[in-house]
Amino acid sequence: RKEVEQDPGPFNVPEGATVAFNCTYSNSASQSFFWYRQDCRKEPKLLMSVYSSGNEDGRFTAQLNRASQYISLLIRDSKLSDSATYLCVVNRRGSQGNLIFGKGTKLSVKP
Amino acid sequence: ETGVTQTPRHLVMGMTNKKSLKCEQHLGHNAMYWYKQSAKKPLELMFVYSLEERVENNSVPSRFSPECPNSSHLFLHLHTLQPEDSALYLCASSQDGTSGSFAYEQYFGPGTRLTVT
């Protein structure tokens, strides 16, 4: 099983749609979880950290299910500017600062 | 804009050349990282420096040689590279993770797009 697995997509959605991304991770000892976004030919940028109780930042909601080792990201009211690749990121416990990046899910929001 | 800068942004080099990539962070962090991103592959961690000391080297070939003279600067020295080393090389920084049981978020520079001919 890969350390971090994501559906590669692409997800093609109209503006205003709600879209959900899922991610599973293999290391049950992982403690830190993040979503990053990466635009084409640019660097990854932190979108949000994911907390155990779930957290929301505007149109974005992240959820963590430790029992199932599953992380999700929900985007409401999609904008054209949300088009990017979304990377699920998990730390490798016991390895200082070591983040494991998923391959990413590509989102394309159409007018 | 991120507080992490990288130079050069683009680099073309022959297999016999020697070049260096530079990274500088202005965020007051004390951990820095080199990653490699090849087409259609996830980011691969290459090196980790914490408090200017290398704490991790993920089985990277010796033709890649990192240097961290202080907590704000990180270099990647390149020599006798292969065409398959062509990729986007990303530098990142974070606060120092202490116990290794959790990790702080990392902030990336814009990357150096390297082509080896």
Side-chain angles (χ1 to χ4, degrees):
Chain A
R1 183 180 177 183
K2 293 179 183 174
E3 290 188 275
V4 178
E5 285 201 78
Q6 296 182 249
D7 182 339
F11 284 41
N12 297 309
V13 303
E15 269 188 293
T18 295
V19 60
F21 303 135
N22 303 319
C23 169
T24 57
Y25 61 95
S26 62
N27 188 344
S28 60
S30 293
Q31 298 286 337
S32 302
F33 310 92
F34 309 95
W35 283 102
Y36 279 72
R37 70 170 277 169
Q38 186 171 23
D39 292 278
C40 187
R41 301 181 72 81
K42 297 286 185 95
E43 74 275 20
K45 293 188 177 179
L46 178 68
L47 181 65
M48 58 198 303
S49 302
V50 185
Y51 302 119
S52 296
S53 54
N55 48 300
E56 187 175 308
D57 182 1
R59 298 181 294 108
F60 299 85
T61 301
Q63 297 279 350
L64 169 64
N65 183 324
R66 286 187 186 272
S68 302
Q69 294 176 213
Y70 171 95
I71 307 162
S72 65
L73 177 69
L74 185 76
I75 305 176
R76 290 181 299 278
D77 189 22
S78 300
K79 311 291 185 192
L80 296 177
S81 58
D82 293 333
S83 297
T85 296
Y86 289 82
L87 307 174
C88 175
V89 184
V90 174
N91 80 306
R92 180 181 285 149
R93 186 186 171 112
S95 187
Q96 189 164 340
N98 199 338
L99 297 182
I100 310 302
F101 286 77
K103 291 180 77 170
T105 299
K106 187 171 182 180
L107 172 66
S108 182
V109 182
K110 306 290 187 185
Chain B
E1 284 299 315
T2 68
V4 182
T5 58
Q6 289 187 243
T7 55
R9 296 291 305 275
H10 299 272
L11 178 62
V12 179
M13 59 186 289
M15 289 190 282
T16 57
N17 291 159
K18 287 186 181 181
K19 296 285 184 185
S20 295
L21 310 185
K22 179 183 176 183
C23 175
E24 185 172 357
Q25 60 95 3
H26 312 274
L27 299 170
H29 292 158
N30 49 25
M32 296 185 78
Y33 312 82
W34 279 116
Y35 287 87
K36 175 183 179 182
Q37 188 173 36
S38 305
K40 300 189 178 179
K41 285 188 177 181
L43 267 73
E44 300 170 59
L45 180 66
M46 300 175 73
F47 300 103
V48 180
Y49 276 84
S50 177
L51 299 171
E52 300 146 47
E53 186 177 325
R54 190 193 306 183
V55 297
E56 192 139 342
N57 171 358
N58 274 5
S59 303
V60 179
S62 60
R63 58 186 183 268
F64 295 92
S65 174
E67 178 190 0
C68 186
N70 55 61
S71 60
S72 299
H73 294 86
L74 186 65
F75 295 89
L76 187 63
H77 304 298
L78 316 172
H79 64 99
T80 59
L81 295 191
Q82 305 297 312
E84 60 265 28
D85 296 322
S86 299
L88 180 67
Y89 288 84
L90 291 157
C91 173
S93 72
S94 74
Q95 293 182 40
D96 179 33
T98 52
S99 65
S101 59
F102 68 96
Y104 290 101
E105 57 271 19
Q106 295 177 14
Y107 295 87
F108 286 83
T112 296
R113 190 161 295 280
L114 174 68
T115 303
V116 181
T117 60

